[in-house]
Amino acid sequence: MSGAALGIEIVVVFFLALFLLQRYGDFKKQQRMVLFGTLLAWYLCFLIVFILPLDVSTTIYKQCLIDHEAHAQTPSVSPVLSNQTTPNTSISPSKSVCYKPWSYIPDGIMPVFWRVVYWTSQCLTWLLLPFMQSYARSGGFSITGKIKTALIENAIYYGTYLLIFGSLLIYVAVHFQWHLSWYELQTIGITAANTWGLFLLVLLLGYGLVEIPRSYWEVSRQGHLLIKTYFKAAKLMTEKADSEENLEDVMEEVRKINESIKYNHPLRKNVDTILRKCPVEYQEKMGRNIDDCEDFDDKQNTHPTERSLSKLHKQVIYAVQRHNRTRVQWQILLEQAFHLEDVAKNETSTSRQFVHSFAPPEPVGWFRRYIYTPSVEWYWECLLKQWFYRVLSVVLSLFSMAVVWSECTFFSTRPVLSLFAVFIQLAERDYNYLYIEMACFITIFFLCTCVYSTVFRIRVFNYYYLASHHQTDAYSLQFSGMLFCRLTPPLCLNFLGLIHMDSAISHQAKEQTAYTSIMGSMRVLSFIANGFYIYYPMLIVILCIATYFSLGARCLNLLGFQQFMGDNEMTSDLIDEGKELLQRGELRKRQRIEDGQNRRREWRERYAQSDEIAARNRMSMSEMKETNYGETLNSNTDRQAKYTRSSSQTGRDSIELLQDAEPLDFIDETLNDDPLQSEPGRHTGGRYLSMSSSRSRIFDDV
């Protein structure tokens, strides 16, 4: 199994990152450069989270070998080294035996692996992804113009990093007792990046450790969640109207430029590029109004410059992305609100069958047809779901308290106060490697969830938003990849400090993980290793208290940014506005759409039956005509033979007379008095008297 676990996880993590990117991104419409950069960033961060537990178990095994070698030098101790893999059970093996973990990674692999992963992720987050963000949103019309714009926008961005790195370099250089080498310069760069990441990490973690358990507790309170959804609907409707108004203004500017710049103007190709970024309905409207037959006259009108067109191009990209984002958010919020209203209605149902107000837009699959039936859905939504989320909230609250306690006490090694260090050391005594890896993975995953969900819960003034169903814009995808690469390495380094496997913080002479060795010795900058990395995480206690009492929301509410406050009059007004907006506006709109679909469905079924009846009647009529015509032909053979020429001439005249005549009598056997059941342009199954069976033998005796 040597190295097999590493290879399997590398492949599995790649498909996991690809699946998430396919869910949130759009492979058909978004640029390949954006998709590749985001996929690589997500993949590298997921690798760090999944592979670090294997590094921890391998390091514990190596430490066991080192301890036995030290004891083997004394004659009283005779240890036995075993390379066999033991099953991961809770039975404590002999202390004189070192069992190799099932996921053991041979020497020399992990340092190279971490070096490639870390430096690739840092190049992405500090250099490539910011440049790609500016390139993707640039208003330039050529590759050279976009590159130039991206470099100008990132000049301040890159200059700040150089200033920070230069300051640290000068600080180290003034101490003459230090001789800088390439390794120490590399350590200074890593320290600067981790310091920035840890600063932001503690702020986000202090919010997420409280808000994540509280959010699951609020999910269990269906009525409270419905009221909060009404509040969000009122706020989002304002933003949605603002985005639509902004889009209209930008499209008006595009329309004016489209009409002023004719087909033979030198900047016409730039205008066509802008038009391709506009929504389809605006493209069709502008295409109908343009007159390509009019030639370009440079003396009549003042035309915009290429720079102004680039600025307009950027405004179009931003306006369209904002409009699409608010539209998707509004649809998701509507679905959530209508579902919560359905839950409130079905809680008092005696049939114990969950009934939806609106039919699902997609056809019912086998899962909902055979497993998640309406009865099962009622028990889950109305009974079990709230208790499940309450238990989950309590478990996450205990986990959060363990993280807060460990963050404040992880620097103490004697006695060991960090709870995660205690758990790992207990498992280390029994060589329970599976427990060690699972505990490490769950802890890192919980920390990542608290940090990353905080970013997209705040949404940076609702500018970045990860929306499923391929609705995330390119800028948000790149921002998420950039943020993951910046926060994941310091988060994992902080986790190693919690379990006392970072010697720079624990000050213990123990075997270091390969991940810690790549980070370098923080003792080069002692004020960071012995000060900032130890005492700054204690700030998480103050942040958790502030989040618990919603001090941040109260401050934003005082500044004019409306937040959900239960005892506020403005909050009550927004709740009533959102409720009225959903019930009177969107609810009636959906009901009208659904009623129209039902009427069209009934109309098709009804008139399909009428068409079948009319077809059968026509077939019976034709059979009857043939039968009667045959009988008449046999009885009048002699007469028709005698007057063949005159009869045929008379018949042709009669047929022409019938064809030229306007039918006066009309019988509509399927006419309906309900105007809603008819559709213009559709044959209603009516029949003229000249085609009825009673008039079929009018010329048989001629």
Side-chain angles (χ1 to χ4, degrees):
M1 291 293 292
S2 296
L6 178 62
I8 293 174
E9 289 200 5
I10 289 175
V11 176
V12 172
V13 169
F14 174 77
F15 285 104
L16 175 62
L18 187 64
F19 169 76
L20 292 177
L21 182 61
Q22 187 273 338
R23 177 177 176 81
Y24 288 95
D26 193 345
F27 287 169
K28 297 181 179 179
K29 297 181 180 180
Q30 291 173 342
Q31 299 178 2
R32 297 294 180 264
M33 180 181 64
V34 173
L35 296 174
F36 177 76
T38 305
L39 176 63
L40 184 59
W42 288 9
Y43 177 55
L44 294 176
C45 294
F46 293 164
L47 278 179
I48 297 176
V49 174
F50 279 84
I51 304 300
L52 188 61
L54 305 184
D55 191 8
V56 172
S57 62
T58 302
T59 304
I60 291 175
Y61 171 70
K62 292 180 180 179
Q63 182 64 40
C64 177
L65 294 178
I66 294 174
D67 293 341
H68 279 295
E69 289 179 358
H71 287 288
Q73 295 178 359
T74 59
S76 60
V77 180
S78 179
V80 179
L81 301 180
S82 174
N83 289 331
Q84 62 182 358
T85 302
T86 183
N88 293 279
T89 60
S90 60
I91 301 176
S92 299
S94 175
K95 297 300 181 182
S96 60
V97 179
C98 290
Y99 290 96
K100 182 185 294 185
W102 70 278
S103 58
Y104 175 75
I105 300 174
D107 295 338
I109 295 180
M110 290 307 300
V112 176
F113 175 80
W114 286 129
R115 190 174 290 109
V116 172
V117 170
Y118 178 77
W119 288 111
T120 305
S121 64
Q122 294 306 299
C123 290
L124 280 174
T125 187
W126 298 106
L127 297 177
L128 296 180
L129 286 179
F131 177 81
M132 292 167 61
Q133 271 189 314
S134 301
Y135 182 89
R137 293 195 60 191
S138 173
F141 299 99
S142 62
I143 297 178
T144 306
K146 290 184 177 181
I147 293 176
K148 182 179 178 180
T149 304
L151 290 176
I152 294 174
E153 290 183 357
N154 288 274
I156 301 176
Y157 187 79
Y158 295 135
T160 305
Y161 300 149
L162 293 177
L163 180 62
I164 296 175
F165 182 77
S167 301
L168 293 174
L169 189 62
I170 294 173
Y171 174 82
V172 175
V174 296
H175 293 77
F176 298 99
Q177 68 272 19
W178 291 348
H179 299 283
L180 292 180
S181 62
W182 171 250
Y183 175 77
E184 292 176 346
L185 289 176
Q186 178 180 338
T187 304
I188 293 174
I190 295 175
T191 303
N194 289 337
T195 302
W196 186 95
L198 184 63
F199 176 79
L200 183 61
L201 180 68
V202 172
L203 297 179
L204 299 176
L205 191 61
Y207 179 84
L209 288 175
V210 177
E211 194 62 29
I212 294 297
R214 182 162 59 186
S215 64
Y216 283 106
W217 183 264
E218 290 179 352
V219 169
S220 64
R221 301 166 57 194
Q222 301 287 350
H224 175 78
L225 188 60
L226 180 59
I227 293 175
K228 196 171 183 179
T229 305
Y230 289 150
F231 176 82
K232 292 180 180 179
K235 290 186 61 178
L236 187 58
M237 189 61 188
T238 303
E239 184 183 359
K240 182 172 178 288
D242 187 28
S243 65
E244 292 176 352
E245 183 179 355
N246 183 30
L247 182 63
E248 289 286 345
D249 295 339
V250 175
M251 291 297 105
E252 180 65 21
E253 295 293 330
V254 174
R255 184 190 64 80
K256 293 178 180 178
I257 292 179
N258 182 45
E259 294 178 353
S260 62
I261 297 181
K262 304 305 178 181
Y263 71 97
N264 57 348
H265 194 279
L267 298 178
R268 182 61 203 182
K269 59 179 182 179
N270 298 341
V271 177
D272 293 337
T273 303
I274 296 176
L275 289 176
R276 285 193 293 268
K277 301 295 178 62
C278 300
V280 179
E281 58 270 17
Y282 289 98
Q283 294 183 21
E284 296 176 352
K285 187 184 300 183
M286 295 177 189
R288 290 193 299 266
N289 295 334
I290 189 172
D291 186 9
D292 286 342
C293 298
E294 186 177 354
D295 293 334
F296 160 64
D297 188 1
D298 196 12
K299 299 180 180 180
Q300 292 182 357
N301 299 322
T302 58
H303 301 282
T305 60
E306 186 175 0
R307 185 175 181 179
S308 61
L309 287 180
S310 300
K311 184 178 180 180
L312 179 62
H313 188 198
K314 187 174 182 179
Q315 292 177 355
V316 168
I317 295 174
Y318 173 73
V320 172
Q321 288 181 353
R322 184 187 177 192
H323 177 261
N324 293 336
R325 183 179 67 252
T326 54
R327 179 176 54 84
V328 172
Q329 291 176 355
W330 179 251
Q331 294 298 328
I332 294 175
L333 191 64
L334 286 181
E335 295 294 337
Q336 182 182 0
F338 292 147
H339 176 73
L340 292 174
E341 290 179 349
D342 291 342
V343 172
K345 295 176 182 177
N346 284 274
E347 284 180 348
T348 58
S349 175
T350 57
S351 62
R352 297 180 183 269
Q353 299 283 329
F354 197 89
V355 180
H356 293 273
S357 300
F358 302 100
E362 299 178 357
V364 179
W366 65 270
F367 179 77
R368 297 183 64 89
R369 186 180 295 111
Y370 300 106
I371 299 178
Y372 196 63
T373 59
S375 178
V376 175
E377 186 177 4
W378 186 90
Y379 279 100
W380 166 251
E381 294 289 346
C382 301
L383 292 180
L384 300 178
K385 184 178 180 179
Q386 53 184 351
W387 289 105
F388 171 78
Y389 280 111
R390 288 176 183 174
V391 173
L392 181 61
S393 176
V394 172
V395 173
L396 294 179
S397 300
L398 296 176
F399 216 114
S400 297
M401 288 188 287
V403 171
V404 173
W405 172 262
S406 300
E407 289 285 356
C408 296
T409 59
F410 71 93
F411 58 88
S412 176
T413 56
R414 291 184 182 181
V416 179
L417 298 179
S418 176
L419 297 179
F420 298 103
V422 172
F423 297 151
I424 296 299
Q425 290 178 6
L426 290 176
E428 182 180 352
R429 296 174 183 176
D430 297 334
Y431 304 108
N432 196 340
Y433 295 111
L434 182 61
Y435 170 80
I436 292 173
E437 294 171 2
M438 292 301 299
C440 292
F441 174 76
I442 293 174
T443 305
I444 297 174
F445 182 78
F446 177 73
L447 294 176
C448 292
T449 303
C450 292
V451 172
Y452 299 146
S453 63
T454 300
V455 176
F456 297 107
R457 192 180 295 268
I458 298 176
R459 296 175 186 172
V460 192
F461 298 104
N462 215 13
Y463 191 73
Y464 304 103
Y465 182 65
L466 284 179
S468 57
H469 305 290
H470 322 288
Q471 298 298 330
T472 306
D473 58 90
Y475 205 73
S476 297
L477 286 176
Q478 292 174 331
F479 175 77
S480 65
M482 184 171 60
L483 200 65
F484 289 175
C485 291
R486 294 185 186 182
L487 295 179
T488 303
L491 185 146
C492 293
L493 193 63
N494 178 257
F495 166 75
L496 293 176
L498 295 180
I499 62 176
H500 291 174
M501 297 197 72
D502 186 1
S503 60
I505 297 176
S506 62
H507 302 286
Q508 294 178 343
K510 295 177 64 175
E511 180 71 13
Q512 291 188 355
T513 61
Y515 184 81
T516 309
S517 63
I518 295 302
M519 292 297 170
S521 178
M522 299 302 170
R523 295 186 180 92
V524 176
L525 301 174
S526 58
F527 73 96
I528 293 181
N530 300 327
F532 183 79
Y533 279 7
I534 292 178
Y535 297 106
Y536 178 71
M538 295 182 183
L539 183 63
I540 199 172
V541 179
I542 301 176
L543 295 173
C544 289
I545 295 175
T547 305
Y548 180 79
F549 290 102
S550 303
L551 296 182
R554 296 180 186 275
C555 292
L556 290 175
N557 195 35
L558 292 176
L559 294 175
F561 299 96
Q562 296 299 329
Q563 303 294 317
F564 183 78
M565 309 296 297
D567 54 351
N568 192 354
E569 182 179 357
M570 182 62 69
T571 302
S572 302
D573 295 339
L574 290 176
I575 291 173
D576 296 337
E577 180 183 350
K579 184 176 181 180
E580 182 179 1
L581 182 65
L582 291 177
Q583 292 182 351
R584 292 189 177 183
E586 294 296 330
L587 186 62
R588 293 183 179 180
K589 180 180 178 181
R590 288 201 172 193
Q591 287 178 349
R592 288 195 300 268
I593 294 175
E594 188 173 4
D595 293 341
Q597 292 176 352
N598 293 333
R599 286 195 298 268
R600 284 192 294 270
R601 190 182 304 110
E602 294 176 357
W603 185 87
R604 293 190 188 98
E605 294 176 356
R606 182 173 181 178
Y607 282 96
Q609 296 177 358
S610 301
D611 291 341
E612 293 178 359
I613 295 174
R616 287 196 297 268
N617 290 337
R618 285 194 295 270
M619 291 178 63
S620 61
M621 287 163 47
S622 60
E623 292 177 357
M624 187 181 300
K625 283 176 80 173
E626 292 177 357
T627 303
N628 295 333
Y629 178 75
E631 293 176 356
T632 307
L633 183 64
N634 293 331
S635 61
N636 299 325
T637 303
D638 296 338
R639 184 187 305 172
Q640 290 182 359
K642 185 175 181 180
Y643 301 102
T644 299
R645 186 170 183 178
S646 60
S647 298
S648 60
Q649 183 66 28
T650 306
R652 284 195 298 270
D653 296 339
S654 302
I655 292 174
E656 292 176 358
L657 179 62
L658 286 175
Q659 290 177 349
D660 296 336
E662 182 73 21
L664 300 176
D665 297 327
F666 178 80
I667 298 177
D668 189 0
E669 296 178 351
T670 59
L671 185 62
N672 195 346
D673 294 335
D674 189 1
L676 297 177
Q677 300 292 337
S678 62
E679 185 178 14
R682 170 103 184 186
H683 175 59
T684 57
R687 194 171 68 238
Y688 292 106
L689 288 174
S690 59
M691 298 183 63
S692 61
S693 58
S694 60
R695 303 298 180 112
S696 60
R697 295 190 298 270
I698 188 170
F699 292 108
D700 287 347
D701 296 334
V702 177

